[in-house]
Amino acid sequence: MSRKKNERPQSALEFIAAAEQIMRAVYQDTKYNFGIKDTPDILDDEGNVVKKGSTRYTDNKNYIDQTIEQMLTYAEMIDFYVQSADSHYPYNLSILTERRKMQDNALAACRTLKRRYQINLNVLGVPDGKYAKTLQLIEHEIAVISGWRKSDNRWEKKLA
């Protein structure tokens, strides 16, 4: 039996939990600038440079800061669109269409976030395995939302 939107309990569905996990993972990954930092020069007792330090963060600061902001935005978009789509109960075709658009937007944000991770791993020279878990979470969310869209096809048949 259907209930009004404000009378329904908070959904404990898998796609919502996965979206929250992605958001937490992205926050953790970007918390320390992907682990990229400057290192000082190593000097001997006389003050001569033994090993030249790295300025990887300083050289890439604008790119890293912009990338972090974009990745956090995409993670928030995934959560927003999943929550919004879940809040639409499809009792007619127009609401079902709106729900599918939100699911499509969540899928697009997932794929864009995944692509941003892959680009950053290549550009910044971060080891591949370091963010493998986050990439797996994003892949899982894509699969779950795709399954959710397929299950909505039964609503479409009922409402048509």
Side-chain angles (χ1 to χ4, degrees):
M1 181 160 195
S2 63
R3 290 190 267 174
K4 292 181 181 175
K5 181 173 145 182
N6 60 350
E7 294 174 356
R8 287 189 284 150
Q10 180 69 24
S11 178
L13 297 172
E14 187 176 3
F15 47 83
I16 294 198
E20 291 170 357
Q21 286 178 335
I22 288 172
M23 199 143 73
R24 277 194 297 272
V26 171
Y27 278 120
Q28 286 293 49
D29 292 348
T30 59
K31 191 174 183 178
Y32 299 107
N33 303 322
F34 302 103
I36 296 171
K37 57 186 176 185
D38 291 343
T39 55
D41 292 339
I42 297 175
L43 306 174
D44 61 8
D45 295 336
E46 299 169 2
N48 298 325
V49 176
V50 175
K51 183 178 178 187
K52 181 86 172 122
S54 165
T55 57
R56 269 181 77 196
Y57 177 71
T58 306
D59 295 344
N60 296 308
K61 183 176 181 355
N62 290 335
Y63 176 78
I64 292 171
D65 292 344
Q66 180 183 14
T67 299
I68 288 171
E69 186 177 328
Q70 289 173 351
M71 292 176 78
L72 292 173
T73 301
Y74 286 122
E76 290 166 356
M77 285 172 58
I78 293 167
D79 188 52
F80 171 76
Y81 285 123
V82 166
Q83 295 280 353
S84 297
D86 184 48
S87 70
H88 284 71
Y89 186 79
Y91 57 85
N92 64 32
L93 280 175
S94 65
I95 291 179
L96 180 64
T97 303
E98 189 175 330
R99 177 173 164 152
R100 289 181 79 81
K101 285 179 185 176
M102 289 179 196
Q103 291 168 337
D104 288 341
N105 289 338
L107 283 170
C110 283
R111 290 185 177 116
T112 305
L113 181 61
K114 179 183 170 192
R115 187 70 186 129
R116 287 301 285 171
Y117 262 103
Q118 292 169 339
I119 289 169
N120 290 333
L121 293 177
N122 292 335
V123 169
L124 298 174
V126 179
D128 291 340
K130 187 167 185 175
Y131 299 112
K133 184 178 179 190
T134 306
L135 291 170
Q136 286 175 345
L137 285 173
I138 296 169
E139 281 292 325
H140 177 70
E141 180 73 354
I142 290 170
V144 169
I145 293 172
S146 297
W148 182 24
R149 289 190 78 231
K150 287 179 185 176
S151 73
D152 275 355
N153 288 339
R154 66 185 166 97
W155 284 106
E156 191 172 17
K157 290 175 185 172
K158 284 182 183 179
L159 296 173

